[in-house]
Amino acid sequence: MGKAITTTRAQESTNAIERMYITMRHLFNRGFYKPNGVSGEALKNALLQLRPEIYGSVGEEKAELNGLIYVLERLPEGIEQCSFINLTSDEGYGISHINPIIPPKRRRNCYRIDEEQMNIEITRGRSDIYDILTHLTFLFIESEKICNRVLITDTNRTIRDWAKLESAVQKDELTQAEREIALIHTANILGRSFEEILDVYKKFSTKNNPDRFLNVIYWLGKLALDEEISGEKRAVTFSALLRERLGHHIHGERWANNIKEVLTKNNLLHRPIHIISANMHSVMNSLFAKVALKSEFPNTDSLEIYEALSSTGNAALRKKVTDLAEKNGMISMDDTSGTNIDVQIFDTAKIKVNNCSYEFSEKELDKKPVIFVMDYAFGEQAYETIDELLKPYITKKNAPSLINVDSVSIMGKAGILEGGKGDLMIPSAHIFEGTADNYPFKNELCAKDFEGYGLEVFEGTMVTVLGTSLQNKDILKFFHKSTWNVIGLEMEGVHYQKAIQSASKIRKSIGEDVKVRYAYYASDNPLETGSTLASGGLGTTGVKPTYLITDKILKQIFNT
């Protein structure tokens, strides 16, 4: 007999991700599933085997609090109260009387149809579905934990702590003493200390709903109890229109055509176009903030100006920069296509002398660059949008016009595998998680460009993952220490590069010599405890790398 073959933890985790991915696709094609049915249990078991870093102690008996905050910031408020969750396409709910609920950390329209049902619009492709289903699976696991802790074995009765929490939630307003007593009972239900519960209570609290945390825990437990005691099953469904439309680039095509129409109307389609995927402030601020705010910041460096502009209380300063940008050729396009990707177009021919922070060489009008900035895409949506954007534009006379793309630059946030928040990653290739698909390219940016600025810079391969919620240390350590030489993980790189390569190398809709630039700054380090995405945002740590990358991209564009 040969030696027994044992799989590594990384291999088991890879299998768990694949099972989740295949199960989610199967459920989507099927059209529905029940969280406590066979398919729902398969998702929960795969997630529990995987134990992603972002979900912390999801596999333990005690409740996972940071993961709960992370998930509920990306799902609509009130979803914990809904037994029926329906994932839909853009089916016209916007013209109804129902106001959309938009989660603070994910731009997606959600509609509370009635007390029991939440509809979530999917307009950003499969990655959006994987993201939502993974988060819902986490919620169902936590919900089940609460049920198991409060339901007395072999009875339909609940423990005293649950009755006290229910009583507190049903009151219109709680005194400080009542609130603290309710939190003590909640701490016992969740298997956490009062101190931990008090801390997370404050993070959940809002002006309109100070006791939101108590409500969330109560409803998570209540729906699981109702299912256990009375058999009222929860269900997740996918609308027929969503299943019919997904994968057909409906929103991406609409988005790209709107943009090409504006470029044609402004006679910019034939000019050298430089596409930048970034946020909606860094390029505009880099070009115009110094000039627009010279009276407010006469002797300060750019970084101080950018930090002030990123502060929530400085709307007046931001308006001043926007006004100057619009007077110097900036066209803003708020999204109406459903992609949730806003756009800014900067016509450098309209920038007046001394109104911009950059100097660029005198060129004939036809050679002056047009800078096209698009907001961040989400996962597979990056392929859909760029693929459609780089296609020839069919005008009303049916004459296809090629879009004159000189360069595509991608600036993004990513998880880093060595280093910390705010450090930089410069990729030389993208690989697609779970496959052997790899996309090497010549990056116009390199590590040397960023040396001497007080940030660590890493150069190597980036892995494009199916979802940041599906990563654990074992897989990431394998990627980092193996010959793949992975320096970080993100969700869009492969999809961008796939679209660029097909347009330039195969379909010939853009020049074969198109320049590409990729640079990422670290939003988290999933290999470090306490440094995952669930540990909170970057704050001002992200300002320096954001503007440093933007500066390097703009200098290369203006110097070509």
Side-chain angles (χ1 to χ4, degrees), residues 92-218:
Y93 300 118
I95 59 173
S96 72
H97 70 285
I98 308 168
N99 291 324
I101 304 166
I102 301 170
K105 295 289 177 75
R106 281 280 187 273
R107 289 177 62 186
R108 47 172 74 111
N109 291 331
C110 310
Y111 298 90
R112 183 77 178 265
I113 305 302
D114 53 41
E115 286 182 1
E116 295 178 313
Q117 182 176 332
M118 181 74 76
N119 282 13
I120 303 175
E121 264 185 10
I122 304 293
T123 58
R124 305 201 296 181
R126 287 190 186 91
S127 297
D128 223 8
I129 294 175
Y130 304 146
D131 189 59
I132 290 166
L133 292 188
T134 310
H135 291 333
L136 287 176
T137 303
F138 168 83
L139 278 190
F140 296 141
I141 290 169
E142 292 300 313
S143 173
E144 213 167 85
K145 281 189 204 173
I146 296 168
C147 176
N148 291 339
R149 287 183 70 93
V150 302
L151 190 63
I152 299 168
T153 312
D154 298 329
T155 72
N156 287 343
R157 291 182 295 113
T158 55
I159 62 173
R160 181 171 174 272
D161 293 295
W162 181 255
K164 294 295 182 184
L165 173 60
E166 189 169 41
S167 170
V169 165
Q170 286 168 354
K171 290 183 180 176
D172 290 335
E173 202 172 330
L174 296 174
T175 64
Q176 183 64 20
E178 287 172 332
R179 183 175 292 115
E180 287 181 1
I181 290 166
L183 288 172
I184 289 168
H185 289 297
T186 305
N188 195 39
I189 290 167
L190 299 181
R192 292 284 189 172
S193 70
F194 174 70
E195 193 176 21
E196 288 174 306
I197 294 296
L198 190 59
D199 182 52
V200 81
Y201 169 86
K202 289 172 185 170
K203 289 176 182 174
F204 269 95
S205 188
T206 63
K207 192 177 178 183
N208 296 331
N209 190 2
D211 297 315
R212 185 181 172 217
F213 176 67
L214 293 175
N215 282 285
V216 164
I217 299 304
Y218 170 71

Side-chain angles (χ1 to χ4, degrees), residues 72-84:
L72 290 177
E73 283 177 336
R74 286 154 178 81
L75 292 174
E77 191 170 348
I79 196 163
E80 70 281 352
Q81 301 173 10
C82 297
S83 306
F84 302 97

Side-chain angles (χ1 to χ4, degrees), residues 13 16 21 23 39 188 199 213 327 413 464-465 521 551 557:
S13 301
Y21 181 61
T23 304
S39 302
N188 195 39
D199 182 52
F213 176 67
K327 286 173 188 169
K413 288 187 288 189
T464 298
V465 298
Y521 61 94
D551 178 63
I557 290 170

Side-chain angles (χ1 to χ4, degrees), residues 16-29:
I17 290 176
E18 193 172 354
R19 282 206 311 281
M20 284 202 75
Y21 181 61
I22 290 167
T23 304
M24 287 191 279
R25 291 198 71 153
H26 161 69
L27 296 177
F28 172 73
N29 291 328

Side-chain angles (χ1 to χ4, degrees), residues 220-444:
L220 283 176
K222 184 180 187 310
L223 293 188
L225 282 167
D226 288 347
E227 191 158 347
E228 186 67 29
I229 295 167
S230 61
E232 290 180 29
K233 302 287 185 188
R234 289 169 287 181
V236 178
T237 56
F238 307 88
S239 77
L241 270 178
L242 175 64
R243 287 184 287 147
E244 183 185 306
R245 290 174 176 176
L246 196 75
H248 294 299
H249 292 198
I250 288 166
H251 300 287
E253 185 179 16
R254 197 185 298 163
W255 175 82
N257 285 339
N258 289 346
I259 289 155
K260 289 171 188 172
E261 204 174 292
V262 170
L263 290 171
T264 305
K265 187 179 169 186
N266 289 275
N267 201 27
L268 300 174
L269 207 60
H270 65 288
R271 296 255 299 276
I273 293 170
H274 299 268
I275 297 167
I276 303 176
S277 171
N279 50 54
M280 288 289 99
H281 55 78
S282 59
V283 173
M284 178 179 69
N285 289 346
S286 296
L287 291 171
F288 300 110
K290 261 185 176 177
V291 177
L293 304 176
K294 60 187 175 188
S295 57
E296 287 87 351
F297 299 93
N299 302 310
T300 51
D301 63 16
S302 304
L303 195 59
E304 262 186 82
I305 299 172
Y306 300 146
E307 283 179 352
L309 285 166
S310 69
S311 174
T312 49
N314 285 333
L317 294 182
R318 288 192 289 276
K319 187 178 185 307
K320 212 169 172 185
V321 178
T322 306
D323 289 346
L324 181 66
E326 286 172 346
K327 286 173 188 169
N328 284 270
M330 181 182 83
I331 303 165
S332 292
M333 293 179 64
D334 292 336
D335 179 64
T336 56
S337 68
T339 60
N340 281 316
I341 298 177
D342 297 336
V343 162
Q344 292 166 335
I345 299 167
F346 298 88
D347 180 358
T348 61
K350 291 185 178 175
I351 296 177
K352 301 176 184 75
V353 180
N354 299 327
N355 273 10
C356 177
S357 304
Y358 291 83
E359 292 179 12
F360 32 95
S361 54
E362 288 296 321
K363 293 178 180 174
E364 298 166 27
L365 177 62
D366 279 1
K367 292 182 181 175
K368 287 191 175 176
V370 174
I371 299 170
F372 169 92
V373 182
M374 59 182 281
D375 209 344
Y376 298 118
F378 185 72
E380 287 185 20
Q381 188 191 33
Y383 177 76
E384 176 178 336
T385 48
I386 292 292
D387 182 58
E388 291 297 331
L389 184 64
L390 299 184
K391 283 180 183 175
Y393 179 48
I394 309 297
T395 60
K396 286 174 183 173
K397 296 175 184 174
N398 286 326
S401 299
L402 296 181
I403 178 168
N404 185 16
V405 176
D406 258 25
S407 72
V408 182
S409 304
I410 312 297
M411 175 182 76
K413 288 187 288 189
I416 198 166
L417 301 184
E418 193 178 329
K421 289 185 178 185
D423 288 337
L424 301 175
M425 290 156 279
I426 313 299
S428 54
H430 290 293
I431 59 173
F432 197 16
E433 180 185 45
T435 72
D437 298 356
N438 54 84
Y439 297 81
F441 50 84
K442 183 189 181 299
N443 195 342
E444 296 294 317

